[in-house]
Amino acid sequence: MHINKIKHTNAGQFFLMAGPCAIEGRDIALRIAERIVTITDKFQIPYIFKGSYRKANRTKLNSFTGIGDIPALEILREVGETFDIPTVTDIHESEEAELAAPYVDVLQIPAFLCRQTELIEAAARTGRAVNIKKGQFLSGESMAFAVEKVKATNPESTVILTDRGNSFGYGDLVVDYRNIPAMQAHGAPVVMDCTHSLQQPNQSSGVTGGKPALIATIAKAAIAVGADGLFIETHPVPAEAKSDGANMLPLDQLEGLLEKLVRIRESIR
């Protein structure tokens, strides 16, 4: 399924990127996707399944990085084909673009890498949609240059921009909602990452912390401001997740949250 198939399928509705932080295995990926598809179908929310085939940005050397590139990418492709939905995964080096592109619909550029020209160019050359996360150190206005890199490489590429907050001190983030309209001015749909914006990275334990109780707060504000989409990492048992469990939404809370968000979107339309 091409990314364009999720656009404007429900006029005025936001779209959702959601799934586990990392692909941990086939069964759990399919189980999470099936549940989210059921929920998003109920509310007519366009949906993109998210899962990292490899985790490159880890605090500790022995942190979980994945089950293997090709096995994880094959699971992503199976999820997309089984439920007829687009899928997204992140890449970290230029050569990964060609590796991942045959398996997914959207290639995601992590926030720390949003200025890496060769990486963005490699993603654009694949013809896949490119989701670029705004660096924690950048303004929304400065993301115009990331969009330009994609369009200069492949004018036909779909570009998505995602906000995940800005660094606030050494171990915290704060969301500046001015960045949503600022990035929309670049002509790209803008997504609010409701989970990573609540991260508390590089804790003394070597395990990233977070404030998942505030996911609903971040999401509600983003929809009220007019975000085009939301990014939410979710897992049936976050405490057992192999990556970023400290800031993921429990899967059984997703339906109630989306119901509230749909009502907020309807009230401002």
Side-chain angles (χ1 to χ4, degrees):
M1 177 182 288
H2 192 275
I3 186 65
N4 283 342
K5 289 190 176 181
I6 76 152
K7 297 174 73 174
H8 312 299
T9 57
N10 185 359
Q13 186 59 278
F14 61 90
F15 64 92
L16 178 69
M17 292 183 176
C21 177
I23 297 298
E24 302 175 0
R26 176 182 180 273
D27 291 345
I28 191 167
L30 288 168
R31 179 156 58 99
I32 292 172
E34 182 177 28
R35 180 60 186 144
I36 301 176
V37 166
T38 299
I39 296 169
T40 52
D41 283 351
K42 176 181 178 180
F43 297 120
Q44 296 186 306
I45 298 172
Y47 174 48
I48 304 171
F49 177 85
K50 183 270 168 186
S52 296
Y53 79 94
R54 183 200 302 171
K55 299 302 297 182
N57 182 9
R58 303 286 81 196
T59 302
K60 296 174 69 176
L61 183 62
N62 62 352
S63 295
F64 174 80
T65 58
I67 61 172
D69 291 353
I70 298 304
L73 287 167
E74 288 178 342
I75 289 169
L76 281 162
R77 179 159 60 189
E78 183 178 359
V79 167
E81 292 176 349
T82 298
F83 300 104
D84 194 25
I85 53 175
T87 55
V88 56
T89 198
D90 38 335
I91 58 174
H92 308 86
E93 297 183 36
S94 300
E95 58 267 25
E96 291 181 43
E98 286 192 14
L99 172 68
Y103 297 91
V104 298
D105 301 273
V106 187
L107 296 175
Q108 181 169 284
I109 308 299
F112 282 130
L113 302 177
C114 69
R115 286 172 50 88
Q116 296 297 101
T117 301
E118 290 184 1
L119 178 61
I120 292 174
E121 290 175 330
R125 281 195 295 269
T126 67
R128 296 310 195 204
V130 183
N131 178 34
I132 309 174
K133 288 195 170 184
K134 182 185 73 63
Q136 301 93 322
F137 42 86
L138 293 177
S139 68
E141 287 82 0
S142 64
M143 290 299 290
F145 304 109
V147 175
E148 287 176 6
K149 291 174 184 178
V150 175
K151 291 299 186 180
T153 304
N154 184 354
E156 301 303 314
S157 288
T158 297
V159 186
I160 304 168
L161 297 176
T162 296
D163 189 9
R164 56 150 299 164
N166 283 75
S167 297
F168 187 71
Y170 288 116
D172 209 351
L173 297 163
V174 65
V175 176
D176 181 352
Y177 288 94
R178 294 176 298 178
N179 284 320
I180 292 177
M183 290 195 289
Q184 287 172 329
H186 307 323
V190 174
V191 174
M192 183 71 235
D193 184 340
C194 303
T195 43
H196 289 98
S197 60
L198 293 166
Q199 269 189 340
Q200 293 179 310
N202 294 322
Q203 299 296 297
S204 59
S205 64
V207 178
T208 295
K211 297 180 178 179
L214 293 175
I215 290 173
T217 300
I218 298 293
K220 290 174 185 176
I223 293 302
V225 170
D228 300 288
L230 297 176
F231 181 107
I232 298 175
E233 288 189 341
T234 183
H235 192 280
V237 187
E240 296 178 3
K242 295 184 178 181
S243 177
D244 275 3
N247 49 267
M248 278 202 274
L249 182 75
L251 185 57
D252 62 6
Q253 295 180 18
L254 182 63
E255 181 172 359
L257 174 59
L258 291 179
E259 182 176 14
K260 293 174 183 176
L261 297 175
V262 167
R263 290 177 181 174
I264 293 171
R265 177 50 58 92
E266 290 174 348
S267 72
I268 64 174
R269 280 161 61 172

